[in-house]
Amino acid sequence: MKPAAITMGCPVGIGPEIILRFFDSLSEAEVPSAPVVLGDLGVLTRAAALLGSRNQPVAWNAGEDVTPDTVPVLELSQLDADKLSWGQPTKESATAMAEYIRRAAAGALAGDFSAVITCPISKKALNEAGIWHPGHTEMLATLTGASRYRMMLAGTRLRVVLVTIHEPLAEVSQRLTAENILGCIRMTADALRRDFAVEKPRIAVAGFNPHSGEQGMFGREEIEIIEPAVRRYEGEAEVSGPWPPDTVFYKAANGAFDAVVCMYHDQGLIPFKLLHFQDGVNVTLGLPIVRTSVDHGTAYDIAGKGCADAASLRAAWQMAMDIARNRAR
């Protein structure tokens, strides 16, 4: 396969550090399939010095092999690393951050990269630089022309998929429709079969209200929207629900389901991060490219301190490779 691409994320966040730690963790057998980094050579060199890394960032061009003890970098910006302060993004660093994403998406669409793995970005910094996207997921959907997409968070014990993503909680109920939920169920079933090689997926659909509305006592979204969507599903997956949100994740984490379709962001991410805070992976469903991401933010509070953990990045890379192989079968 073509190499995967890792976008460096925010130059003043923990992205550069976890990239260096990730490359330091690669075994000799993994080096030939190592990804390339789309980012800034000077920033990564600064991070390597900070960490005392055994792998040194080097300029990389398409078609070149990845050699041991190096971090191959497709250099897309030339920021003055000495003038950047950890945890303090600038318009220049935000503009560079966006360029890494654009080039990764374009390269994956062109077949130059087998997958895209993204390091964390600052949504606020993007917006202040005039780049208006709610987040990575929406930006990549725009760049790849995907009109329907979903966010999946995946780990060894739990997978969750979100019907609504970055929406104010007060607006979620208004945005829930049977069609939207049904589309999410279908996309989840397709992804489990194609990307995760689950022959007959078992999907639980979470309710929206406490106790799934208690037969309408605590809300009618389950009766009027969610249950009709579940009944309309026709396919090879086993789909059930709406399940009470306070029990369905326990069941899924203990093997009863392959994924839980959740109505809103925090409903799914709170239980997921409780189990997979360090090794969780963000997977974007519905894109024409393979995209995974670390499941954490820029962590400006610890950036530059040399203590960032690369476990989520390693998991994101491994999952991206697995998905790319499954799609190639």
Side-chain angles (χ1 to χ4, degrees):
M1 290 192 300
K2 294 284 187 177
I6 293 181
T7 59
M8 194 178 76
C10 181
V12 295
I14 62 171
E17 294 175 65
I18 61 174
I19 287 171
L20 268 296
R21 289 201 185 279
F22 163 73
F23 273 89
D24 282 350
S25 75
L26 292 177
S27 67
E28 185 176 344
E30 290 173 324
V31 169
S33 60
V36 298
V37 180
L38 276 58
D40 191 290
L41 191 59
V43 170
L44 287 162
T45 299
R46 178 174 73 158
L50 171 73
L51 300 175
S53 175
R54 67 179 176 83
N55 292 279
Q56 292 304 305
V58 297
W60 177 89
N61 295 301
E64 295 179 350
D65 292 331
V66 177
T67 56
D69 302 322
T70 66
V71 178
V73 182
L74 180 59
E75 190 169 21
L76 300 179
S77 66
Q78 295 180 329
L79 301 168
D80 189 340
D82 293 334
K83 292 184 179 179
L84 292 176
S85 298
W86 294 110
Q88 298 180 32
T90 64
K91 182 177 180 179
E92 290 74 22
S93 68
T95 301
M97 177 172 63
E99 182 61 18
Y100 311 150
I101 301 167
R102 291 192 187 100
R103 289 289 295 274
L109 285 172
D112 297 331
F113 304 123
S114 59
V116 174
I117 302 108
T118 57
C119 283
I121 63 171
S122 165
K123 302 172 183 65
K124 184 173 184 289
L126 273 184
N127 289 340
E128 289 180 348
I131 302 164
W132 304 104
H133 292 283
H136 249 136
T137 300
E138 295 86 351
M139 183 175 182
L140 282 163
T142 298
L143 290 170
T144 59
S147 58
R148 296 185 178 182
Y149 54 91
R150 292 290 185 272
M151 179 188 291
M152 170 189 278
L153 284 301
T156 55
R157 293 188 62 191
L158 183 64
R159 299 185 189 100
V160 300
V161 184
L162 310 181
V163 175
T164 63
I165 304 178
H166 297 122
E167 312 290 352
L169 191 56
E171 298 178 11
V172 170
S173 180
Q174 306 163 37
R175 296 176 183 271
L176 292 179
T177 66
E179 196 63 38
N180 201 11
I181 295 168
L182 179 60
C184 190
I185 293 171
R186 288 171 175 160
M187 195 172 288
T188 301
D190 291 345
L192 288 172
R193 286 174 55 81
R194 179 182 66 166
D195 295 342
F196 293 89
V198 179
E199 186 173 345
K200 190 168 185 179
R202 301 160 301 160
I203 300 171
V205 180
F208 177 69
N209 297 293
H211 305 289
S212 276
E214 198 71 58
Q215 298 180 326
M217 289 178 61
F218 306 143
R220 298 191 58 81
E221 284 84 356
E222 287 78 10
I223 295 171
E224 297 175 0
I225 302 172
I226 303 173
E227 188 176 347
V230 173
R231 288 200 307 266
R232 284 175 57 191
Y233 174 77
E234 295 179 354
E236 298 184 39
E238 295 179 1
V239 180
S240 59
W243 287 87
D246 61 352
T247 60
V248 68
F249 300 103
Y250 173 81
K251 292 177 180 293
N254 285 281
F257 305 112
D258 297 301
V260 181
V261 170
C262 307
M263 297 301 108
Y264 58 93
H265 186 279
D266 283 9
Q267 183 185 63
L269 267 64
I270 289 173
F272 180 80
K273 290 192 176 184
L274 184 64
L275 293 176
H276 293 294
F277 190 79
Q278 290 186 311
D279 64 347
V281 179
N282 183 340
V283 185
T284 306
L285 310 184
L287 300 183
I289 64 174
V290 177
R291 183 263 174 155
T292 65
S293 178
V294 296
D295 183 32
H296 57 71
T298 53
Y300 286 147
D301 57 324
I302 63 169
K305 296 182 178 178
C307 59
D309 191 334
S312 185
L313 179 57
R314 170 171 271 279
W317 172 68
Q318 291 172 328
M319 190 172 292
M321 293 297 92
D322 288 343
I323 292 172
R325 293 186 191 99
N326 287 335
R327 288 191 183 186
R329 288 178 182 174

